[in-house]
Amino acid sequence: MIYVKRSAGLIPPDLLNSAMVAEQQLERLPPEQRADFIRAHSHIWRAFKRYLSEMSYGKCWYSESPEAQSHLDVDHFRPKLEARRSENFCDKPGYEWLAFSWDNFRLSAQLSNRPVRNEETDATEGKGSWFPLVEGSPKACWDDRCVGREQPMLLDPANLDDVRLIEVQADGRMGPSKFCLGTDRKRVQTSIVRLGLDLPRLKEARLRVMRHVGELCEALGELIEAGSDDEGFADKAPTKRLMKALRDKTHPCEPYAAAARAQLRAMALDQLCIAPEEV
């Protein structure tokens, strides 16, 4: 998971307006008609897919999987029709008033968005309608839309503070970063399961990136060592090209850039990671 910077400027005004009109129509409906209205207008949020994809360079906002390798859904971060808080409790309705709010949309690979069995653990993972809250958190509803005071258990890729809590581990799995303490560690573990972040094929994809980055780092190290006492060799060596290749691996447009960044940190070369101001 890496931070996704959202931009309303990428979305056509006509599409934003159609979503706003649907919101206004929904507001005027009695409670018993809202769910059917939302289902009948699913084409509105699906129309945002292209523009959400542009914001994340064609990658799932949760897993960093590229669109070419994964069917992507427009996920409602706060579920629209029901919100499952635990195995035994589900709030119905969910966050109906956010059904057409593009602020609530996240682009998600189907393996992150839909329930799926983890082949390694045999557990069911995937977000579905899951949206647990930290114990004691306020809970928003139609009559009290206090989403700004809610404390979700799931990490949000559109929230930079959340993204800083999670990182790729040496074995390709996701885990808490050094900045993650207390309740945030539970949030990371919950997010890993509910967003399907450690499914076997996803873990293997990260490891492939990490191995490639490791090989490039070793080659770079050999060039630096060989050129340290030989100015002629140093001038001809493709050192800068290798450094650029490593930096490019950490760009947000690259699949599993978080894995590339983690490998560079592990090899004490994190200065080669692309800085936020360079994107």
Side-chain angles (χ1 to χ4, degrees):
M1 181 183 290
I2 61 173
Y3 175 62
V4 177
K5 185 177 181 180
R6 293 173 293 177
S7 174
L10 293 174
I11 306 171
D14 286 351
L15 181 54
L16 291 170
N17 185 62
S18 68
M20 183 180 66
V21 169
E23 284 183 348
Q24 293 170 346
Q25 292 173 330
L26 181 66
E27 290 285 346
R28 294 193 292 266
L29 292 176
E32 64 273 13
Q33 294 181 20
R34 292 171 189 158
D36 286 342
F37 179 86
I38 290 169
R39 293 189 188 97
H41 291 77
S42 62
H43 62 280
I44 292 178
W45 63 76
R46 288 174 182 157
F48 280 81
K49 177 180 174 179
R50 170 183 170 183
Y51 310 104
L52 298 174
S53 181
E54 288 182 26
M55 296 175 202
S56 63
Y57 303 95
K59 299 190 299 182
C60 167
W61 290 24
Y62 299 122
S63 69
E64 280 200 275
S65 294
E67 190 165 8
Q69 297 178 12
S70 177
H71 296 294
L72 300 182
D73 295 330
V74 175
D75 171 51
H76 288 72
F77 184 63
R78 285 178 165 79
K80 54 193 178 297
L81 297 178
E82 65 176 26
R84 183 165 294 282
R85 310 298 187 180
S86 69
E87 294 288 354
N88 302 314
F89 182 72
C90 183
D91 271 324
K92 295 184 178 182
Y95 298 82
E96 292 178 321
W97 69 96
L98 295 176
F100 304 107
S101 171
W102 89 269
D103 246 1
N104 191 41
F105 300 159
R106 308 288 183 269
L107 192 69
S108 176
Q110 290 184 356
L111 292 182
S112 287
N113 191 39
R114 306 183 187 189
V116 63
R117 184 178 67 87
N118 186 316
E119 298 167 1
E120 289 185 343
T121 65
D122 205 37
T124 298
E125 302 185 5
K127 184 170 178 284
S129 61
W130 277 91
F131 199 73
L133 299 173
V134 172
E135 186 176 353
S137 168
K139 185 168 63 175
C141 62
W142 185 274
D143 295 321
D144 183 11
R145 304 177 188 184
C146 59
V147 293
R149 294 191 287 114
E150 277 191 336
Q151 296 174 276
M153 285 295 288
L154 298 182
L155 301 181
D156 182 0
N159 183 330
L160 185 56
D161 288 335
D162 277 1
V163 173
R164 287 173 174 151
L165 299 175
I166 189 169
E167 65 183 10
V168 181
Q169 309 295 300
D171 62 358
R173 290 182 169 86
M174 301 301 294
S177 72
K178 63 182 179 181
F179 304 109
C180 185
L181 303 168
T183 301
D184 283 334
R185 296 183 75 85
K186 296 179 183 177
R187 296 182 63 217
V188 166
Q189 293 306 319
T190 299
S191 298
I192 289 170
V193 172
R194 293 303 165 203
L195 300 176
L197 299 183
D198 273 352
L199 291 171
R201 283 180 290 176
L202 189 53
K203 180 189 70 174
E204 288 303 318
R206 293 192 199 108
L207 283 173
R208 285 195 295 272
V209 169
M210 294 168 80
R211 284 193 292 268
H212 187 208
V213 168
E215 290 166 0
L216 291 176
C217 287
E218 289 176 5
L220 178 62
E222 290 171 1
L223 289 177
I224 292 172
E225 183 177 356
S228 59
D229 297 319
D230 187 337
E231 185 175 297
F233 175 84
D235 288 342
K236 296 177 181 178
T239 308
K240 292 179 180 178
R241 179 169 57 82
L242 275 180
M243 292 173 64
K244 182 180 184 303
L246 284 165
R247 286 168 56 77
D248 288 348
K249 284 287 184 183
T250 72
H251 193 284
C253 70
E254 286 292 314
Y256 317 111
R261 296 174 187 181
Q263 185 65 27
L264 284 173
R265 286 194 296 269
M267 302 185 79
L269 290 171
D270 48 304
Q271 66 268 34
L272 291 178
C273 293
I274 287 181
E277 61 270 17
E278 297 178 80
V279 178

